[in-house]
Amino acid sequence: MAAAMHTPVPDIPGTVIEGVMKHGLMQHLNQLLGLDPSFSRFPGSQPVSFVSRSLKLLETRNFWVCEKSDGVRVMMLIAWNSAENRQQVFLIDRKNTYKEVENLEFPHWNPPSGIKSPCGPSVIDGELVCDIDRKTGEQRLRLYAFDCIVYSNTNLMKSSLQSRYGRLKSWLLEPFHKNLREQTHPAQQPFEIVCKTMELAEGIEAVVKDHIPQLEHGHDGLIFTCAETGYVIGTDEMILKWKPPLENSIDFKLELRFPPTAKDANMPDYTVKPMFVLLTNMGRNYDFFDTMVVTDAEWEAIKESGVQWDERIVECHWDPEYDSWRFMRFRDDKTDGNHWSVVQKIIESIRDGVELETLIARAPIIYARRKERAAMEQQKPRYPAPPPPMAMGGPPIPQRGAPQGSYPLPNIQGGYGMSVGGYGPVGGGGLRR
């Protein structure tokens, strides 16, 4: 697999939503996801690092695999503004910033009335990336959607990924693109929306040799997701993030500690290269973890650039040549560095990581075990299917342009939602010989 390639981290387009309107949207999102109204974090699922025992997991459950895109993780909320009788679309990042994006229209895949209607409130998970045309160098913003966890006010989180992915493609994106094609003069889209390509887990080699060479954006590994399980908010042990062991990275908070001047011990000497201290997120505060090596030449370049480094979130990897952590890039898309518990798992993945060759060599076994499970499933006794549930779109839309699932509240601007009225040893970095 080619070394990790990075492309510019895109800025999320749109208008920032704040105040009462944001609070109403947050409550609306929480209600759609079945969360407590006070939940205020980014609700996306998070992977765990791939280690050697993860190979056995790929053999015992059905997993899908795709490339790990280098972009900005976002959720897309399609809401219905009952006060203005229109659909609105918002992007939510890991800092829980809400931005409204214009000119996106999502029709219902199968309106009960038979007349074209907008779909109801929906939630999509994806990655916003900056694609760069290989021939022209032109940059293009694309949202690579990979999951649909709410469709038209129906919560799909308990459904399997296989089911959710099918609805994403057939119920949300196909009608969206068909609607665009039918418009004589379509409005300028803030970004393109595509469905991220997935392969069965045994298709690792196809992803590496066929998909990744065709990418127009950065990538830094693989993501394995269980196709049989539901959507988990927060850390999901059934989503595995694979990177080459020594390319595994950790997000720290960086602190620059300058030595004192010769004349005044209380005054830092900003002309001297400081100590680059990496701090770990302990939940309520940050604690010392290790230091990062910056060469003299790199320090001179930092000074000349005028870019602020202190108090920023940085992504680092372990470099055996320096026997230390090394800077990769800033992670301004994150409010905090990785939590201590996540750091420990990533360090385990560096120590107990799996090389790409081992993954590819295991693919035939993963395939054989999947076929065995499928054969056993075919031998199980069949029972009459229960009556079909109500269509995923929910009850009939009462009128064109007003999907069910809007939350009409005259006292809330926009009318989206409900009423508003020590972790173990530190230091040393855990990897030095």
Side-chain angles (χ1 to χ4, degrees):
M1 183 175 180
M5 181 184 79
H6 296 293
T7 43
V9 176
D11 293 325
I12 300 176
T15 304
V16 176
I17 305 299
E18 298 178 317
V20 175
M21 184 176 178
K22 177 181 178 180
H23 189 65
L25 285 169
M26 288 175 62
Q27 288 195 323
H28 178 33
L29 178 63
N30 289 343
Q31 187 166 14
L32 289 171
L33 299 179
L35 298 173
D36 186 276
S38 62
F39 187 88
S40 59
R41 294 182 287 107
F42 179 72
S45 59
Q46 303 295 336
V48 297
S49 294
F50 201 103
V51 292
S52 58
R53 63 177 178 273
S54 302
L55 289 168
K56 181 60 67 176
L57 189 57
L58 296 184
E59 295 173 12
T60 56
R61 302 294 294 268
N62 291 339
F63 274 78
W64 289 355
V65 61
C66 64
E67 53 89 15
K68 183 178 179 294
S69 299
D70 187 21
V72 178
R73 175 79 176 279
V74 293
M75 279 193 162
M76 184 167 67
L77 169 64
I78 303 168
W80 182 259
N81 186 330
S82 59
E84 299 180 13
N85 198 41
R86 67 187 180 98
Q87 190 182 76
Q88 287 180 281
V89 180
F90 304 88
L91 292 183
I92 308 160
D93 66 11
R94 282 189 285 203
K95 294 182 178 180
N96 221 31
T97 300
Y98 283 63
K99 283 190 173 183
E100 182 179 4
V101 287
E102 303 284 352
N103 300 330
L104 294 176
E105 181 182 343
F106 293 90
H108 196 285
W109 77 285
N110 185 27
S113 63
I115 302 174
K116 180 180 176 181
S117 306
C119 76
S122 304
V123 182
I124 309 305
D125 203 349
E127 190 90 10
L128 192 67
V129 306
C130 179
D131 274 348
I132 301 178
D133 189 281
R134 294 174 181 272
K135 294 181 179 179
T136 66
E138 178 186 1
Q139 296 189 6
R140 182 171 296 176
L141 200 59
R142 286 192 175 104
L143 176 64
Y144 283 80
F146 52 75
D147 211 329
C148 177
I149 54 180
V150 177
Y151 180 79
S152 208
N153 205 45
T154 297
N155 188 308
L156 306 174
M157 292 171 62
K158 292 184 178 179
S159 301
S160 67
L161 171 63
Q162 184 170 332
S163 174
R164 302 193 310 268
Y165 187 79
R167 284 161 173 73
L168 171 68
K169 291 184 67 175
S170 301
W171 290 10
L172 192 107
L173 294 185
E174 285 183 8
F176 170 77
H177 291 127
K178 180 175 182 290
N179 184 55
L180 276 180
R181 291 193 300 269
E182 291 174 347
Q183 295 179 17
T184 307
H185 301 288
Q188 180 66 40
Q189 304 289 292
F191 45 80
E192 293 182 21
I193 305 177
V194 296
C195 195
K196 190 162 189 174
T197 302
M198 303 275 191
E199 294 280 353
L200 294 170
E202 63 263 24
I204 301 164
E205 194 166 11
V207 174
V208 173
K209 295 185 176 180
D210 297 335
H211 297 183
I212 288 180
Q214 301 300 318
L215 293 178
E216 296 182 329
H217 58 262
H219 57 87
D220 60 355
L222 303 171
I223 295 290
F224 293 88
T225 308
C226 185
E228 305 168 343
T229 53
Y231 192 92
V232 174
I233 291 174
T235 302
D236 186 351
E237 300 288 337
M238 302 302 284
I239 304 179
L240 310 172
K241 175 181 65 177
W242 177 88
K243 291 184 180 183
L246 289 180
E247 291 183 21
N248 261 297
S249 60
I250 299 178
D251 298 328
F252 297 105
K253 187 174 184 179
L254 178 65
E255 183 178 282
L256 274 56
R257 296 185 183 175
F258 293 85
T261 61
K263 295 182 179 180
D264 187 347
N266 295 317
M267 287 294 294
D269 186 350
Y270 293 114
T271 65
V272 179
K273 186 172 74 173
M275 180 183 293
F276 289 76
V277 177
L278 302 175
L279 305 176
T280 309
N281 178 9
M282 306 299 287
R284 295 184 179 180
N285 57 5
Y286 280 82
D287 210 339
F288 173 80
F289 180 77
D290 204 347
T291 57
M292 178 180 76
V293 165
V294 173
T295 66
D296 292 342
E298 290 167 345
W299 169 239
E300 292 302 319
I302 290 171
K303 287 194 297 183
E304 290 180 9
S305 71
V307 174
Q308 177 188 334
W309 282 58
D310 195 30
E311 298 291 315
R312 291 177 75 176
I313 305 300
V314 293
E315 183 178 354
C316 302
H317 71 99
W318 182 260
D319 190 334
E321 180 182 349
Y322 290 88
D323 200 24
S324 180
W325 297 97
R326 296 279 283 155
F327 172 81
M328 294 175 65
R329 58 176 173 164
F330 295 113
R331 293 306 304 262
D332 294 331
D333 57 315
K334 288 189 171 184
T335 304
D336 290 298
N338 290 134
H339 188 269
W340 170 254
S341 59
V342 175
V343 170
Q344 291 298 91
K345 292 178 180 178
I346 296 174
I347 289 177
E348 180 188 4
S349 183
I350 296 174
R351 288 172 169 162
D352 187 34
V354 176
E355 297 291 349
L356 179 61
E357 293 74 15
T358 305
L359 264 179
I360 293 176
R362 206 65 166 253
I365 300 175
I366 295 171
Y367 170 77
R369 297 292 179 268
R370 181 178 65 81
K371 297 298 286 184
E372 289 171 5
R373 289 193 299 276
M376 292 176 63
E377 189 67 27
Q378 288 292 326
Q379 294 173 8
K380 290 182 179 180
R382 298 290 177 177
Y383 299 97
M390 182 181 294
M392 297 303 293
I397 295 176
Q399 61 182 40
R400 183 178 181 182
Q404 56 85 31
S406 59
Y407 294 88
L409 293 170
N411 63 318
I412 297 299
Q413 180 182 357
Y416 306 97
M418 296 154 48
S419 182
V420 174
Y423 296 86
V426 298
L431 281 171
R432 280 198 177 81
R433 295 186 289 272

